[in-house]
Amino acid sequence: MGDEEVIDASRTDGATAPGYAPHPYIGGRTAALRALAAWRMSWPGAPRVIALTGAPGTGRGRLLTGFLMLCDPEFRTRLPLDELDPATVPPDLPAPAVPRPDGLTAAQLLWTVADHFELAATRTADIFTELGAREEPVTLVVPDVAAAGPVRAAGEPARLVREVLAPLAAVPTVQLLAVVPRELAAELTAGLPQGQAQIIDLDAPEWADPDGLVAHAATALDPARGAPALPFTTGPRPREALAGALAARAAGSHLTVELAVRSALLAPEGFDPAATERLPATVGQAVDLHARRLGADPGLLRLLLAPLALAEGDGLPLPLWGALASAVAERDLSRELAEGMLLTAPFVDPVEAPSDAEDGADGADGRTLIRIAHPALAAEIRDGLPDARGAQTRIAMKLLEAVPGQDWSRADPYVRDHLAGHTLDAGLLPQLLTDPGLFVHADPVVLRAAVEAVPLQELGAPARTYLRTAPLLTRTQATPALRAAFLETAFVEDGLAPYAQALHGLGLTLPWRTLWSLPPAGATAVTAGVLPGGPVPVPVAVSRVPAATPGARPLPGGDGAFVVHTLTDGIPLDAAPEQVVRPSEEERAASPFGLSRGGGYVRVWDRGTQEVVAAVITDTPVLGADLSADGVLLIATERGVTARRILTAPPTAPAQPGPAGVPSSPGPAGGRA
């Protein structure tokens, strides 16, 4: 609708009528804005839960952005509220919580909600309980659910709806508005009492907004809004005529209008606004008509866009674009891409990537990535590929070739973090999951999401070890060196010693080497000592276990049983626990290392410098821990008993006894798994 058009608040169909000015950002969608405003003010009869949906490209995000402008106390001051339809303006309330799901797992988004409301929950189930116990309702707005998940093929949007949004919607104190794909809208609202939920489908006639689509086109063509001065943009009448024609052809699709306008503005030569039959009716036609107008094969344009449509994360590094386009096409397209920037320009956007600081140090400046203009455009390109899985396979192989000497520490961040997503989509991920270097250097959040999407029976032993360790890696936000250390122990625990050894060959400084691991046997305590006799006393580990444990020796008096193993290699010894000599308190105090422990961590610190030299964080409670004089750390958890040799060299001379513990938190700060 044009600026001179206004809306009548007495109408219920959202049509334009004299009386009020349009929303300055949306320019329409009055019926939907009224429904959303009623939801925000909890108007009698208004739903508590709204699923905002529609076909991709119909303007769901634009509508939500315009509505949130009205909900933000600071932004409201910039809007002409007195000129707008009062039924579209919610009251001046605190801004709702707006946790963005972009790239997040369902668990990450849920803990984001918990953090926002400062909940004391330690389990996901407790989050819903705590929200339900609140006296005052909480208001949540979740934008584009389709953008959830670090890996596209892992199906995170559906998981987010089932595991987070639907349970939140069932909490009576939660007022929820979520933008969801149409196939998930009914699932979000299912089971709620009648009147508590509403689906707003922007493609349905009652929510359609043809005038708003015209306004969108007119605004995009307006030189006052940044469009170049062209014959069909400078004059109001040609501009309005073209806007009306574009909207009439686009059948409600804001994305089709947007792409058509981009095409005309970026390559105006040969564009005839009077030839309305050459205006696109669909997103796919916008691509094909642009190519034909530039004298190019539409199939070539689609091949050039294919790597961006198949890309993961925030976008594709520019240097990789040509190589991957050639891989998809199975022929060299480097010249076509170099000469075809005008051909691809309407359909791509640059985005600045964040700095890459893998090890926690300052990284290089951010670099420019290229991404496709809209997810619906990406879906159109993917759907048009004759063999999408084959294209992903060729992309994955090309990315794998780009790892210098198969050294993942030197790989491009995109290759390192997103190769798993491409191989998952190609059905090849299990074959990739045999490289310890990938496990260590890939973003654990992304790699975990990809591995979890593979049926467990299809994973090899190393991948299963990674999968069970991944929650620890993501929870602690571990550096690559610490990831390697955690995985090294996990591989030893699972009987995969060659993989553990390989981690020591990656050039990382690991804090320990895991010597051995005993399977779970109910050990509740562990002690380092020596077994005298023979020419040299034998260092041993003594574990307290249930009396029924095979090979255990009972204590005199029946107070439990013990097993004894050599300290350095875990060989069982036929020795009574009373034969073992344990170090005295004076000997412990004179040792170079000290030990502190908590419920889920053990720390080893240098008595001379008071610095922590090794921090072991566990995914099960620590039941017992001890440290030998020469730096072998014993830990008992529900997973069994492990022995780790601390690799930091001890001081040359004993230092003064240090504190009984290191007063610090149980583990590094980080997001929950």
Side-chain angles (χ1 to χ4, degrees), residues 130 134 243 276 284:
E130 285 197 37
R134 293 206 161 196
T276 56

Side-chain angles (χ1 to χ4, degrees), residues 39-52:
W39 166 85
R40 181 68 183 101
M41 68 179 70
S42 299
W43 198 258
R48 181 176 56 81
V49 175
I50 290 182
L52 180 61

